[in-house]
Amino acid sequence: FHARFEGNPGTGKTTVARLYAQVLKEIGVLPVSTFEETSGSKVCTMGMDGLKKLFEKLEKGGGGLLFVDEAYQMSSAKSFSAKGLVEYFVDEMENKLGKLVVCFAGYPKDMEKLLEENEGLQSRFAFKFLFEDYSDTELRM
């Protein structure tokens, strides 16, 4: 149930991810609806030790959904430590099935580039949600 949320800023990705966590708990995919939010740049800044602590925090709380906004910032072009971090995500996404769901969010083209860097990463995401920009009419409502 790992998912990609792709679209421009302000299209509701974070809000939908929060609701997604609740739905996954209600249908029995996750034991709890805990929602933890971070960003690709924060993951790169915290490094491997910080990322491990984030996963441990979720595990101690019973699981939940980890939402990584602007996940494309973890591409190797943006951070020299990114490859190891992405590999750790791939492993944990598999190892924590039934307890943890990971959602990566960002611009579609940037997300594609990130996924091309690690074959295993793309195969971990069961769903891709595309968030369209609001129309002028929708914004006036």
Side-chain angles (χ1 to χ4, degrees):
F1 287 88
H2 304 299
R4 295 162 39 197
F5 287 61
E6 297 182 1
N8 289 324
T11 53
K13 295 180 298 295
T14 305
T15 300
V16 171
R18 289 180 193 279
L19 295 169
Y20 188 53
Q22 293 174 5
V23 168
L24 293 177
K25 196 260 184 210
E26 289 299 317
I27 64 172
V29 172
L30 289 174
V32 296
S33 62
T34 302
F35 181 86
E36 186 74 36
E37 180 180 357
T38 190
S39 69
S41 64
K42 286 180 185 173
V43 169
C44 289
T45 300
M46 72 174 79
M48 188 62 73
D49 289 339
L51 183 57
K52 287 179 180 180
K53 286 178 185 171
L54 183 57
F55 275 101
E56 287 170 9
K57 176 183 173 186
L58 281 162
E59 193 168 11
K60 285 180 184 173
L65 188 143
L66 176 57
F67 181 77
V68 184
D69 200 9
E70 299 175 343
Y72 56 84
Q73 293 174 336
M74 294 186 297
S75 78
S76 61
K78 302 198 185 282
S79 170
F80 68 91
S81 64
K83 184 177 180 187
L85 296 169
V86 170
E87 288 173 359
Y88 189 76
F89 265 104
V90 170
D91 290 343
E92 291 301 285
M93 290 165 80
E94 186 67 27
N95 295 338
K96 306 278 191 273
L97 281 176
K99 291 183 180 181
L100 178 75
V101 167
V102 174
C103 293
F104 277 10
Y107 300 109
K109 287 182 182 178
D110 292 329
M111 293 293 290
E112 288 301 323
K113 289 177 187 173
L114 172 65
L115 295 172
E116 288 171 3
E117 291 183 16
N118 185 304
E119 220 174 271
L121 184 60
Q122 185 159 2
S123 69
R124 296 300 187 273
F125 292 104
F127 302 103
K128 174 182 169 183
F129 299 99
L130 184 60
F131 291 75
E132 299 288 336
D133 291 338
Y134 289 102
S135 68
D136 290 341
T137 303
E138 291 170 320
L139 291 172
R140 283 189 226 120
M141 295 178 144

